[in-house]
Amino acid sequence: MSLSTPKLAQPLPLHHRSNGSSMSFHTFTPFLGSTHKLRLIAPIKLNAHSKSTAVSVSDAVKDKKPKSAANLLISKEEGLQLYEDMILGRFFEDMCAQMYYRGKMFGFVHLYNGQEAVSTGFIKLLKKEDSVVSTYRDHVHSLSKGVPARAVMSELFGKATGCSRGQGGSMHMFSKEHNVIGGFAFIAEGIPIATGAAFSSKYRREVLKEADCDHVTLAFFGDGTCNNGQFYECLNMAALWKLPIVFVVENNLWAIGMSHLRATSDPQIWKKGPAFGMPGVHVDGMDVLKVREVAKEAIERARRGEGPTLVECETYRFRGHSLADPDELRDPAEKAHYAGRDPISALKKYIIENKLASEQELKAIEKKIDEVIEDAVEFADESPFPARSQLLENVFADPKGFGIGPDGKYRCEDPKFTEGTAHV
Amino acid sequence: MATLFHPTAAFSTSHKLHIPSPISVRKGQIFVVRSDARMNNLISRGAHKSQTQRLLTNAVATKADNSSSSKTGHELLLFEALQEGLEEEMERDPRVCVMGEDVGHYGGSYKVTKGLAPKFGDLRVLDTPIAENAFTGMGIGAAMTGLRPVVEGMNMGFLLLAFNQISNNCGMLHYTSGGQFKIPIVIRGPGGVGRQLGAEHSQRLESYFQSIPGIQMVACSTPYNAKGLMKAAIRSENPVILFEHVLLYNLKERIPDEEYVLSLEEAEMVRPGEHVTILTYSRMRYHVMQAAKTLVNKGYDPEVIDIRSLKPFDLYTIGNSVKKTHRVLIVEECMRTGGIGASLTAAITENFNDYLDAPIICLSSQDVPTPYAGTLEEWTVVQPAQIVTAVEQLCQ
């Protein structure tokens, strides 16, 4: 890996179709893994109209000095919305950890602390009809998309009022109402599902002639997933058919204990986009405003029908891979470096320095979220566990699928079936 | 969110048979043929017994019997029957789409999707790159978001690459989402031992998939049941895996002109009898019927049932037969270990042990990778002579 200084602020040609012609890209330092220092890379702005050139980075994104209100990236309202969403994610996950250690939830619980900028930056730009597909680290994606904290907490407690009726658990958050299509336990298995959701959207527009259908799908996954076959297969298909999808890589540099640098021949994941004919963008995933700018462009691209984008968000998880992970392998210096780049502190600083809101207003938001979380825990505590009768429901959408029993009746007509005691 | 079964929401039937008409008009005007014309208050309300009887004669699959069938209907080959069923469903519901390798411009490796792409367009009959795991997952994602895809595996064996998606997502997501997302997908393709196709193209995936909760598996064996099962699978809200067989695509049969849909969960009575129950499916049905001729000449009266539904088993039809004959022979193409026959043996023993006069005999393929050499290949699958011997042994 070469350690040359990054060349910023130069227009970079981005090929949308890779036809064997070489693509130039600026060299930059590899990510912080063991010994290398990480440098911030400014995001590359996508130009939707030109086939092969990219417009240079917008100054407003790079420059964080306070500006007059006209030049700010966000309004007060947006700022508070983003802040609230990130605080919700953070406080929720902290409460999850507490509840886990108190024995209220079990199994594998993967917390999102530190990565809130990616979830908030992307999902807050979506409409209700747009879809989000995530991985096992899905609590905060669900919350950002609008699933009530109560429903997510109940699901974690395994209660019948959970968003998946207690049948999914931490790794399978689903919501039809809010178009959260999982929640997947194996990495990369959600990406084809996301591709399918995007295909549906295109199908509706072109075959079913629903002209206003421009739903976008976001697929979130990590750096470890980017070495998996399904990732590449879907990049190919999405670019081939110009599906309205954005592939969001939450590169937090670690797949449990496997450093991204040790697992990947070329760790620069954003480069893999142009290899398939779609723009590949790298963005600082600890900065919600930068993520939001890139997300805006990528989502609008997809909505216009111009196809997918691969966005690599450099981020970090403050906790271990899961609550069962002792997290002894990561360098404390690395952790300290990223703790200093906490996305919530960064946004707070931006809001206050640019006089978008006062400290009290932010504190009020934190208090409000505290109450929401308390209420969620209380609700989850008081909710009932699933009854036995729930055992056999939902295995099939049409329970005739359990077949015909020896007495000639469909198995699902057996009264024991609704009680959950039938043997199927 | 509970999806309990409501009898009134099941197939509703009418005794009027007529050409398919647009969806808005067509609610409740299909009929469902029962395997033995038995009335069931859930399914065949009002179905004319005589009409179902007439159609049953057509279900006996050997070509020689066509002379006794009625002159109505039209003759076609099995792959054309599949194509007809698929086309009818695509016309009926615009959400039905096809995805797979070479299904579009090429018309399908076995011509099941021939003519569909020019008619319905490239997006509805989608030629996918060679990425089974991803496009099967894409089909599942599309099914979850409102479409009704039919995913073709060019050979069933290729779907081994899609096992992650089929097991984890196709089978389980309805449950793990608490019933929020249904997955009305059909996964189909040819499998089974062909003519010297080699080990990897001769696999029987039904045994690998059978444990996956949440899916249904059916195997077609005649043009009549191929079309009926294809339509039923597409209309089903559950994920269905439809197993076709490479060697059966050119079977010819006369099938009704009227629209019909078969039941996914039922077995088919091929030949009623008294002495022994022979349970089979797919290609082995023909080996069994060939053996049946020999057996009849030797004075035996075998009852042959094509189980059709590999998961779940139709224990009613099977049970009634066992109660009548008290002897069971299972003839299948799966491997001996862990195959459909093994599960069926267990299910029969569990449910009908008291009715058996002899232990169940299960004839399966040898537990070997299918060899290329024709002679060796012949010896890996069950041949009619073995079936005759087994029946003689059972009936001692």
Side-chain angles (χ1 to χ4, degrees):
Chain A
M1 284 280 107
S2 66
L3 277 168
S4 47
T5 46
K7 300 184 183 65
L8 301 172
Q10 280 180 15
L12 303 164
L14 256 184
H15 284 247
H16 286 219
R17 292 256 170 264
S18 128
N19 289 320
S21 44
S22 64
M23 194 193 86
S24 67
F25 50 89
H26 64 46
T27 49
F28 71 107
T29 51
F31 301 121
L32 185 69
S34 44
T35 56
H36 307 297
K37 269 195 94 82
L38 192 74
R39 310 278 176 87
L40 285 181
I41 309 295
I44 301 161
K45 188 125 194 261
L46 311 165
N47 183 332
H49 303 292
S50 151
K51 267 214 157 194
S52 58
T53 57
V55 173
S56 62
V57 170
S58 98
D59 279 0
V61 177
K62 232 182 18 173
D63 194 339
K64 287 191 102 170
K65 292 206 191 70
K67 293 188 175 328
S68 63
N71 283 354
L72 287 176
L73 287 167
I74 47 171
S75 65
K76 170 174 179 170
E77 204 184 278
E78 287 171 340
L80 293 180
Q81 187 204 32
L82 298 178
Y83 190 75
E84 184 172 331
D85 194 54
M86 290 208 284
I87 289 287
L88 174 62
R90 179 67 61 88
F91 283 16
F92 188 93
E93 298 291 70
D94 283 339
M95 184 59 80
C96 277
Q98 250 194 67
M99 292 295 116
Y100 188 84
Y101 294 125
R102 282 197 208 168
K104 299 285 183 78
M105 58 178 91
F106 299 92
F108 293 127
V109 179
H110 308 83
L111 299 180
Y112 201 71
N113 297 50
Q115 299 181 199
E116 295 85 0
V118 181
S119 179
T120 300
F122 267 93
I123 300 180
K124 280 313 180 193
L125 292 170
L126 295 180
K127 299 189 292 199
K128 192 167 185 190
E129 300 82 20
D130 294 323
S131 302
V132 166
V133 176
S134 180
T135 57
Y136 44 73
R137 209 177 294 281
D138 55 352
H139 308 167
V140 179
H141 294 136
S142 310
L143 292 170
S144 289
K145 191 68 174 52
V147 182
R150 284 181 159 195
V152 183
M153 193 59 87
S154 291
E155 184 62 32
L156 292 168
F157 282 29
K159 301 294 177 88
T161 47
C163 55
S164 305
R165 299 182 87 200
Q167 289 166 194
S170 165
M171 298 186 279
H172 300 286
M173 294 291 168
F174 285 84
S175 168
K176 181 117 184 133
E177 189 193 336
H178 299 280
N179 288 304
V180 175
I181 315 183
F184 292 92
F186 286 19
I187 61 162
E189 71 179 357
I191 306 178
I193 302 288
T195 311
F199 178 81
S200 266
S201 173
K202 186 181 167 88
Y203 189 96
R204 272 177 211 283
R205 201 188 212 158
E206 296 183 16
V207 177
L208 300 180
K209 307 287 184 227
E210 292 173 24
D212 55 348
C213 180
D214 58 356
H215 307 330
V216 169
T217 306
L218 298 184
F220 291 91
F221 48 91
D223 44 287
T225 305
C226 295
N227 294 326
N228 189 287
Q230 286 175 92
F231 168 62
Y232 297 108
E233 291 176 10
C234 290
L235 283 185
N236 179 41
M237 294 198 298
L240 185 62
W241 298 316
K242 289 212 168 60
L243 299 182
I245 185 172
V246 183
F247 296 102
V248 184
V249 183
E250 295 171 318
N251 184 352
N252 57 23
L253 307 178
W254 291 89
I256 309 187
M258 191 63 170
S259 150
H260 177 60
L261 294 178
R262 289 183 67 220
T264 317
S265 56
D266 186 345
Q268 295 171 49
I269 301 172
W270 60 272
K271 273 160 60 172
K272 301 179 186 186
F276 286 91
M278 72 178 82
V281 188
H282 174 274
V283 67
D284 175 7
M286 303 306 272
D287 183 334
V288 67
L289 299 178
K290 289 196 180 136
V291 173
R292 196 176 147 91
E293 285 305 297
V294 171
K296 243 186 231 171
E297 183 75 42
I299 292 172
E300 286 309 310
R301 227 183 86 82
R303 252 192 239 297
R304 284 190 300 261
E306 288 165 26
T309 312
L310 176 66
V311 181
E312 180 186 359
C313 304
E314 180 204 324
T315 182
Y316 202 75
R317 50 169 166 83
F318 294 157
R319 292 182 182 265
H321 164 74
S322 72
L323 289 173
D325 174 17
D327 193 19
E328 289 159 352
L329 202 54
R330 299 191 297 175
D331 186 4
E334 179 189 273
K335 294 190 210 179
H337 168 91
Y338 280 97
R341 288 166 59 185
D342 186 333
I344 294 179
S345 316
L347 182 65
K348 184 169 183 173
K349 189 158 170 271
Y350 184 90
I351 288 176
I352 291 181
E353 278 180 5
N354 290 297
K355 306 210 180 5
L356 284 173
S358 65
E359 181 96 34
Q360 286 88 331
E361 282 172 297
L362 297 181
K363 279 261 179 297
I365 289 180
E366 289 171 29
K367 186 164 182 306
K368 173 177 157 199
I369 294 298
D370 263 327
E371 284 165 17
V372 166
I373 305 290
E374 285 290 329
D375 168 78
V377 173
E378 212 178 288
F379 175 78
D381 260 332
E382 287 166 10
S383 293
F385 279 105
R388 180 102 194 228
S389 55
Q390 203 181 303
L391 181 64
L392 302 171
E393 290 171 1
N394 308 140
V395 177
F396 289 103
D398 177 0
K400 293 215 305 285
F402 279 115
I404 303 174
D407 58 359
K409 291 202 253 171
Y410 274 94
R411 279 244 164 76
C412 52
E413 293 164 7
D414 178 355
K416 288 211 196 118
F417 184 90
T418 40
E419 288 165 28
T421 51
H423 202 71
V424 285
Chain B
M1 277 194 279
T3 52
L4 292 177
F5 176 65
H6 294 288
T8 48
F11 291 119
S12 59
T13 62
S14 153
H15 54 274
K16 289 204 185 75
L17 311 174
H18 54 76
I19 310 298
S21 48
I23 302 170
S24 53
V25 174
R26 203 131 32 88
K27 251 191 179 154
Q29 287 169 343
I30 51 164
F31 74 94
V32 174
V33 176
R34 296 304 298 259
S35 58
D36 56 357
R38 129 180 81 89
M39 293 301 151
N40 183 305
N41 63 351
L42 296 170
I43 299 292
S44 50
R45 253 180 299 220
H48 261 215
K49 196 164 179 155
S50 57
Q51 272 163 342
T52 51
Q53 292 279 37
R54 176 161 58 84
L55 286 157
L56 266 180
T57 359
N58 293 347
V60 179
T62 51
K63 295 170 217 176
D65 289 339
N66 272 354
S67 53
S68 58
S69 61
S70 65
K71 290 297 176 202
T72 57
H74 55 286
E75 227 176 34
L76 41 52
L77 306 178
L78 196 145
F79 75 86
E80 290 169 340
L82 287 166
Q83 198 241 25
E84 213 174 76
L86 186 49
E87 197 172 339
E88 281 175 19
E89 290 304 300
M90 287 180 83
E91 280 169 357
R92 177 180 179 265
D93 186 348
R95 299 169 300 166
V96 179
C97 54
V98 183
M99 329 179 161
E101 293 158 16
D102 274 331
V103 296
H105 294 190
Y106 195 74
S109 313
Y110 293 93
K111 295 179 277 191
V112 174
T113 51
K114 192 168 170 199
L116 296 183
K119 184 170 176 183
F120 295 107
D122 277 349
L123 204 57
R124 262 191 102 178
V125 187
L126 187 72
D127 277 322
T128 61
I130 306 175
E132 277 79 8
N133 207 4
F135 73 68
T136 306
M138 191 175 95
I140 295 166
M144 289 168 78
T145 46
L147 300 186
R148 303 188 77 95
V150 177
V151 172
E152 172 173 311
M154 193 186 270
N155 184 289
M156 268 304 194
F158 300 169
L159 292 182
L160 285 174
L161 288 137
F163 213 109
N164 181 357
Q165 292 294 335
I166 295 175
S167 166
N168 286 8
N169 290 348
C170 184
M172 298 193 194
L173 286 188
H174 185 74
Y175 195 76
T176 51
S177 68
Q180 290 179 84
F181 290 94
K182 59 177 187 170
I183 306 166
I185 193 175
V186 177
I187 298 175
R188 51 157 291 270
V193 177
R195 294 254 180 275
Q196 298 188 249
L197 299 180
E200 291 173 23
H201 282 81
S202 313
Q203 300 191 67
R204 281 77 63 185
L205 254 53
E206 52 267 25
S207 53
Y208 305 162
F209 289 147
Q210 64 177 323
S211 295
I212 301 173
I215 55 154
Q216 281 185 254
M217 304 198 302
V218 286
C220 62
S221 50
T222 68
Y224 179 73
N225 66 33
K227 180 177 174 184
L229 288 175
M230 170 72 93
K231 289 170 74 85
I234 294 175
R235 292 189 194 192
S236 173
E237 301 298 313
N238 298 333
V240 179
I241 305 184
L242 171 58
F243 289 91
E244 301 151 17
H245 198 286
V246 275
L247 293 181
L248 299 184
Y249 278 129
N250 290 325
L251 279 181
K252 192 188 282 198
E253 191 184 2
R254 184 170 286 276
I255 66 168
D257 289 327
E258 305 87 8
E259 193 184 19
Y260 66 96
V261 179
L262 295 177
S263 166
L264 287 174
E265 296 87 24
E266 286 179 38
E268 185 180 315
M269 178 68 71
V270 182
R271 182 192 187 283
E274 297 290 326
H275 290 164
V276 60
T277 299
I278 308 183
L279 302 171
T280 182
Y281 67 92
S282 192
R283 180 197 169 201
M284 286 297 118
R285 170 183 173 143
Y286 297 92
H287 283 205
V288 167
M289 290 312 286
Q290 205 180 326
K293 281 199 206 136
T294 315
L295 287 168
V296 165
N297 287 341
K298 289 191 176 192
Y300 294 96
D301 186 22
E303 176 153 292
V304 181
I305 294 177
D306 182 338
I307 61 173
R308 259 176 20 195
S309 175
L310 306 180
K311 178 182 161 92
F313 295 132
D314 177 1
L315 289 178
Y316 184 59
T317 309
I318 294 171
N320 284 352
S321 182
V322 175
K323 289 174 189 175
K324 185 167 61 164
T325 66
H326 313 297
R327 290 177 167 77
V328 178
L329 170 65
I330 301 171
V331 181
E332 58 157 0
E333 209 178 336
C334 259
M335 314 288 229
R336 158 146 245 84
T337 307
I340 298 291
S343 298
L344 193 49
T345 307
I348 297 174
T349 314
E350 231 173 56
N351 286 290
F352 308 114
N353 195 36
D354 289 339
Y355 297 96
L356 292 170
D357 282 348
I360 302 172
I361 296 186
C362 178
L363 297 178
S364 330
S365 298
Q366 303 274 8
D367 274 348
V368 300
T370 312
Y372 166 73
T375 43
L376 291 177
E377 185 185 68
E378 210 181 291
W379 293 321
T380 53
V381 296
V382 178
Q383 298 297 338
Q386 294 165 272
I387 302 173
V388 172
T389 314
V391 169
E392 288 175 337
Q393 190 185 338
L394 257 183
C395 291
Q396 270 163 0

